[in-house]
């Protein structure tokens, strides 16, 4: 049996994110999660929101962990992971009522973030919702000293990583026909940003 990798951060942030998603995804039925990571969010949200068909996805290296969490939970509405490199042009056909991604924008290189939004634009249904969780800068400034320290630690690991400007992310969403509907402050200096596509 494959052991289930455990993310303490995912365990800490799952309830505040869930509280926000319950409202934002109320009218949705199908969700594509980009970068499912360990799989913890997928099983927690899938169990709490059984009306959603939750499609996991990630790079191949994370599929064993995701499958281990999915096998343990045995939820009929949470689907095995698709192979998805957000920086590529090879995306599932969709359409999906919603797209959710957590802690991905500051890990990927900026061209990959741009490519991810183009992919989202292709698979998100009319009236669909995009929800992005993570830390961001505002007007090029860090909102807290801890976020500045986190950004420095990311850039020390790899120069392409780092916190993104909220305004730049919003511009990418706008280019795909998305209008902002929520900007929620969550614990540990993170945010949940949401946009809706016109129906």
């Amino acid at each position: 049996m494959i052991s289930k990798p455990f993310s303490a951060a995912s365990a800490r942030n799952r309830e505040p994110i869930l509280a926000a998603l319950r409202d934002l995804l109320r009218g949705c039925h199908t969700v594509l999660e980009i970068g499912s990571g360990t799989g913890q969010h997928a099983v927690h949200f899938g169990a709490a929101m059984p009306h959603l068909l939750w499609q996991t996805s990630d790079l191949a290296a994370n599929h064993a962990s995701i499958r281990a969490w999915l096998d343990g939970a045995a939820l009929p509405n949470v689907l095995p992971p698709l192979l998805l490199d957000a920086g590529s042009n090879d995306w599932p056909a969709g359409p999906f009522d919603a797209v959710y991604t957590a802690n991905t924008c500051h890990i990927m290189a900026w061209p990959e973030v741009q490519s991810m939004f183009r992919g989202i634009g292709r698979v998100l249904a009319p009236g669909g919702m995009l929800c992005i969780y993570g830390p961001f800068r505002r007007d090029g400034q860090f909102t807290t000293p801890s976020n500045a320290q986190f950004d420095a630690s990311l850039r020390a690991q790899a120069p392409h990583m780092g916190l993104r400007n909220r305004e730049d992310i919003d511009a990418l969403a706008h280019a795909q026909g998305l209008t902002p509907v929520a900007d929620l402050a969550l614990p540990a200096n993170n945010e949940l940003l949401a946009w809706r596509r016109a129906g």
Side-chain angles (χ1 to χ4, degrees):
M1 177 180 293
I2 298 173
S3 62
K4 294 189 295 186
F6 179 81
S7 166
S10 293
R12 287 193 304 268
N13 64 33
R14 66 184 190 178
E15 289 300 335
I17 297 175
L18 174 60
L21 291 182
R22 281 188 190 278
D23 181 54
L24 292 168
L25 303 182
R26 185 180 295 121
C28 298
H29 300 287
T30 57
V31 180
L32 172 65
E33 181 181 18
I34 301 173
S36 298
T38 61
Q40 288 167 249
H41 275 179
V43 298
H44 187 69
F45 300 157
M49 297 181 286
H51 69 285
L52 294 176
L53 188 65
W54 195 277
Q55 176 63 67
T56 60
S57 75
D58 211 319
L59 300 173
N62 290 324
H63 282 203
S65 172
I66 297 167
R67 288 181 181 276
W69 278 91
L70 266 58
D71 289 348
L75 297 170
N77 63 317
V78 183
L79 303 180
L82 299 175
L83 180 61
L84 177 57
D85 179 347
S88 76
N89 292 321
D90 188 13
W91 280 61
F96 296 92
D97 297 329
V99 173
Y100 165 77
T101 188
N103 291 320
T104 53
C105 291
H106 57 267
I107 300 299
M108 295 186 288
W110 183 244
E112 292 176 310
V113 177
Q114 294 173 306
S115 178
M116 178 177 73
F117 271 84
R118 290 191 294 270
I120 291 168
R122 292 194 297 271
V123 304
L124 190 62
M129 184 77 70
L130 169 62
C131 300
I132 299 182
Y133 169 85
F136 298 92
R137 293 184 290 175
R138 297 270 174 166
D139 296 317
Q141 303 298 314
F142 296 107
T143 57
T144 64
S146 63
N147 275 358
Q149 294 166 3
F150 181 48
D151 180 81
S153 70
L154 289 171
R155 294 181 188 278
Q157 294 176 54
H160 72 266
M161 296 197 296
L163 272 63
R164 308 303 176 190
N165 284 315
R166 165 71 172 78
E167 295 76 15
D168 295 337
I169 294 294
D170 192 57
L172 294 179
H174 180 74
Q176 300 302 325
L178 305 177
T179 301
V181 295
D183 184 347
L184 307 174
L186 295 187
N189 304 311
N190 289 302
E191 302 172 55
L192 186 72
L193 309 178
W195 300 261
R196 185 183 296 280
R197 169 167 275 174

